[in-house]
Amino acid sequence: MAKKKLNKNWLHDHINDPYVKLAQKEGYRARAAYKLKEIDEDEKLIKHGQVIVDLGCTPGSWAQYARRKLAGKDGGGVNGTLIGLDMIEMEPIADFHFIQGDFREARVLRQLEVVLEGRKVDLVLSDMAPNLSGIATADAARMEHLIDLAIEFSQLHLKPSGVLLVKCFKDMGFSQIVEKFRGEFKVVVQKKPKASRDKSSEIFLMGRGLKNPGKIAVAEDDDDALDI
């Protein structure tokens, strides 16, 4: 009965959420677009001509926002390159290169390299979150693992001056994650956008400027995943 009431309360809050209504009005697939929008407007992350990679991009609201930022004023095409990776299928977005698969695998990375054409990435985005078990220590470990993957991906592909933006949770090993970011990036900033619900421990962490770019080696065997 309590779970049913909780679901009912969540549905009521969701339907009446102003960001949900705004997303429906403006054609975004999820209210999460406004989290990225606020952070982008504060930090000037997305600029014309950039190469941007969105990790765990499905359903695609961050990709939609980034695409609109890079689009020309006439609405045709984009000034830049947008790439998304996810194990879950995503509905297509114009001018967005979607690669389905695990970005740790050599097969997926080969597809990524074809799109990159030897270029380094300006901005890596990650709105990834783990499937929760309800066990605090296990959930914290899963969250930290996702952050590790995003950092390692950035070490491989990000420009030395590039930016990594990830989602975290204050109650999931956050202090350790912050320390990892400080060890890898010259500038580390915490962001709690207004579109992130007050009840949620969700917070975003931005790292700018790699301290040790390119320190992780890629597996040479085509059939092997990265050694992470």
Side-chain angles (χ1 to χ4, degrees), residues 29-40:
R29 296 176 183 179
R31 67 192 299 283
Y34 299 101
K35 301 172 189 177
L36 178 58
K37 182 176 186 291
E38 184 178 332
I39 296 170
D40 174 48

Side-chain angles (χ1 to χ4, degrees), residues 13 23 47 57 70 98 100-101 141 147 154 159 168 170 189 200:
D13 291 345
K47 301 171 185 175
C57 56
L70 296 185
F98 175 65
Q100 187 171 359
I147 300 299
S154 298
K159 289 180 179 178
C168 307
K170 283 267 191 173
V189 180
S200 173

Side-chain angles (χ1 to χ4, degrees), residues 8-137:
K8 195 172 182 180
N9 289 340
W10 180 89
L11 185 61
H12 176 271
D13 291 345
H14 183 76
I15 290 171
N16 292 283
D17 187 308
Y19 290 104
V20 171
K21 293 179 179 179
L22 193 58
Q24 292 170 344
K25 180 182 177 182
E26 297 188 343
Y28 284 115
R29 296 176 183 179
R31 67 192 299 283
Y34 299 101
K35 301 172 189 177
L36 178 58
K37 182 176 186 291
E38 184 178 332
I39 296 170
D40 174 48
E41 289 173 349
D42 285 347
E43 298 294 334
K44 307 294 186 291
L45 296 180
I46 301 174
K47 301 171 185 175
H48 281 190
Q50 286 182 329
V51 178
I52 299 172
V53 174
D54 186 357
L55 302 177
C57 56
T58 303
S61 63
W62 278 24
Q64 286 178 300
Y65 174 76
R67 195 249 174 230
R68 293 183 190 187
K69 278 296 297 284
L70 296 185
K73 291 184 178 179
D74 59 359
V78 296
N79 182 358
T81 302
L82 290 167
I83 308 165
L85 301 103
D86 204 312
M87 296 176 70
I88 302 170
E89 190 175 356
M90 189 183 84
E91 288 294 317
I93 294 173
D95 308 304
F96 185 76
H97 303 273
F98 175 65
I99 301 170
Q100 187 171 359
D102 187 332
F103 62 79
R104 294 171 296 175
E105 295 179 356
R107 173 187 60 81
V108 175
L109 289 176
R110 284 199 303 271
Q111 294 179 60
L112 174 64
E113 294 295 347
V114 169
V115 181
L116 287 176
E117 298 179 323
R119 296 170 296 172
K120 287 292 187 179
V121 178
D122 295 280
L123 173 63
V124 175
L125 302 171
S126 173
D127 195 29
M128 295 188 295
N131 293 322
L132 301 181
S133 66
I135 303 170
T137 53

